[in-house]
């Protein structure tokens, strides 16, 4: 799991929660069901079964892979529309090409993030490059959907290309964990992702036996999703493993610990930590559109049918499928 790493974490700035921080209790641990997305790549639905009041402002998250493709097997998604939210695609292993109908896009690979603000609407496609399709290989990543408040839902689309080398790298006092701040801030250290909805997104790697207790904004929710390995969450040490999401309650610090023994395939505990300021607005979600009312959803479908989300570049032609 390459993402972005350093040889000696002790060279990095160190963070820890203050002694008087209030520990966040663990409200629930859920297990992601497996499924398929797009043209048939395997995913785990990280937030399935979690009440939206605990997720807000996050909508959904898929763990894509981890999968070792044979030659000819790599798959992506066909052209499809979005409106009313942001998609965040984080590639841990492998490579993905992205293009949208407003001219945004690029190639993202180990540790890179594509942050697409759909806003008023666009069409986009995500697919493995031809070289990966021919050769096969390892593919592993995440796609997170972040809601937009009503005032921003119809803003102009925007694309951010966040290279892995620009993420803020931090560690804990003992150097037992590597913290990659992709967006938001942690203990005053700012990640490169620019967000409309205040959030924090961190990919943490914990060595066997390591523990992190991080300061966490009290007005944010708190979620931890296990990408690989096994460990525990909260001061109560609730067990978690690959494919599970921990939902934290109120407080000003959250704790994650790696088990002393990991398996040979996964030497460390890999966790994505998410926090965001709840929007607390009505949400109407159907397929690729996330709005505030049913009427706005109907309008989104109507605008899509009338071609108001932009045009697919001629070089690609029209791909069947879509929503």
């Amino acid at each position: 799991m390459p993402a972005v790493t350093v040889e000696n974490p002790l060279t990095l700035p160190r963070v820890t929660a203050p002694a008087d921080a209030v520990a966040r209790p663990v409200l629930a641990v859920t297990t992601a069901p497996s499924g398929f997305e797009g043209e048939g790549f395997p995913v785990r639905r990280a937030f399935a079964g979690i009440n939206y009041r605990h997720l807000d402002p996050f909508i959904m998250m898929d763990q894509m892979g981890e999968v070792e493709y044979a030659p000819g097997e790599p798959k992506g998604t066909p052209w499809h529309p979005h409106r009313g939210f942001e998609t965040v695609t984080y590639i841990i292993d492998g490579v993905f090409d992205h293009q949208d109908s407003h001219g945004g896009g690029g190639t993202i690979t180990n540790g890179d993030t594509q942050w697409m603000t759909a806003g008023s609407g666009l069409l986009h496609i995500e697919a493995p490059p031809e070289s990966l399709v021919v050769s096969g290989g390892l593919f592993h990543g995440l796609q997170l959907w972040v809601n937009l408040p009503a005032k921003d839902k119809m803003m102009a689309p925007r694309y951010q290309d966040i290279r892995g080398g620009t993420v803020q790298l931090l560690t804990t006092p003992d150097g037992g964990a590597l913290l990659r701040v992709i967006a938001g801030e942690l203990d005053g250290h700012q990640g490169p992702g620019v967000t409309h909805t205040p959030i924090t997104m961190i990919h943490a790697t914990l060595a066997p036996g390591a523990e992190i207790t991080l300061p966490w904004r009290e007005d944010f929710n708190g979620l931890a999703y296990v990408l690989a390995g096994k460990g525990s969450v909260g001061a109560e040490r609730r067990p978690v493993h690959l494919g599970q999401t921990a939902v934290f309650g109120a407080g000003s610090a959250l704790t994650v610990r790696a088990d002393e023994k990991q398996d040979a395939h996964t030497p460390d505990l890999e966790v994505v930590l998410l926090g965001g300021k709840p929007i607390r607005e009505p949400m109407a979600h159907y397929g690729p559109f996330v709005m505030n009312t049913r009427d706005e959803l109907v309008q989104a479908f109507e605008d899509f049918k009338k071609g108001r989300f932009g045009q697919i570049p001629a070089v690609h032609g029209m791909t069947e499928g879509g929503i």
Side-chain angles (χ1 to χ4, degrees):
M1 189 173 289
V4 178
T5 190
V6 293
E7 254 185 57
N8 182 8
L10 288 172
T11 62
L12 301 172
R14 305 177 198 188
V15 297
T16 189
D20 60 351
V22 178
R24 286 178 173 247
V26 178
L27 301 181
V29 172
T30 63
T31 301
S34 296
F36 293 91
E37 187 54 81
E39 296 169 335
F41 58 84
V43 299
R44 287 187 176 90
R45 305 287 190 191
F47 295 161
I50 301 175
N51 191 295
Y52 183 65
R53 74 176 184 274
H54 298 310
L55 297 178
D56 186 12
F58 307 109
I59 301 164
M60 58 154 277
M61 186 169 73
D62 285 345
Q63 180 179 9
M64 306 180 294
E66 179 176 6
V67 58
E68 184 75 43
Y69 283 121
E73 284 188 343
K75 299 175 176 67
T77 64
W79 284 94
H80 57 284
H82 285 307
R83 172 179 281 181
F85 64 102
E86 300 183 287
T87 65
V88 181
T89 306
Y90 174 50
I91 299 300
I92 300 166
D93 291 288
V95 59
F96 230 28
D97 286 340
H98 164 80
Q99 188 173 6
D100 67 47
S101 55
H102 284 251
T107 298
I108 51 175
T109 186
N110 302 340
D112 296 339
T113 302
Q114 161 217 305
W115 201 295
M116 188 185 78
T117 304
S120 60
L122 45 64
L123 307 172
H124 85 141
I125 186 172
E126 294 167 301
E130 186 63 26
S131 59
L132 182 63
V133 175
V134 170
S135 67
L138 185 62
F139 182 77
H140 190 196
L142 285 176
Q143 185 166 98
L144 171 70
W145 288 15
V146 184
N147 203 4
L148 288 169
K151 66 181 180 62
D152 293 328
K153 283 195 178 293
M154 297 299 287
M155 67 174 291
R158 184 182 68 178
Y159 176 83
Q160 296 178 68
D161 185 16
I162 303 171
R163 292 298 164 186
T166 67
V167 301
Q168 175 69 64
L169 300 180
L170 306 169
T171 190
T172 46
D174 63 0
L178 175 61
L179 309 171
R180 306 167 186 86
V181 184
I182 297 168
E185 66 88 27
L186 180 64
D187 198 28
H189 301 277
Q190 191 75 34
V194 177
T195 70
H196 288 282
T197 304
I199 72 165
T200 294
M201 179 179 182
I202 296 167
H203 174 190
T205 299
L206 285 75
E211 181 174 289
I212 57 175
T213 298
L214 304 179
W216 212 250
R217 279 182 52 167
E218 292 188 65
D219 58 342
F220 277 20
N221 61 354
L223 302 162
Y225 176 74
V226 181
L227 288 165
K230 54 188 179 178
S232 59
V233 288
E236 59 269 52
R237 294 197 173 185
R238 183 92 171 259
V240 290
H241 58 72
L242 166 64
Q244 292 192 313
T245 301
V247 179
F248 291 91
S252 57
L254 56 80
T255 296
V256 178
R257 187 180 188 279
D259 282 358
E260 295 281 355
K261 292 185 178 180
Q262 303 289 334
D263 61 45
H265 176 67
T266 307
D268 302 309
L269 174 65
E270 304 282 351
V271 181
V272 171
L273 303 173
L274 295 168
K277 189 172 184 179
I279 296 173
R280 304 197 194 285
E281 293 177 350
M283 184 178 71
H285 173 201
Y286 190 86
F289 306 128
V290 182
M291 305 304 293
N292 292 101
T293 67
R294 184 180 182 279
D295 287 346
E296 290 171 346
L297 279 182
V298 171
Q299 185 64 54
F301 276 102
E302 188 68 21
D303 289 346
F304 169 56
K305 290 177 183 176
K306 291 183 176 179
R308 294 171 180 162
F309 281 41
Q311 298 298 315
I312 296 173
V315 66
H316 288 274
M318 181 61 73
T319 302
E320 291 296 326
I323 302 177

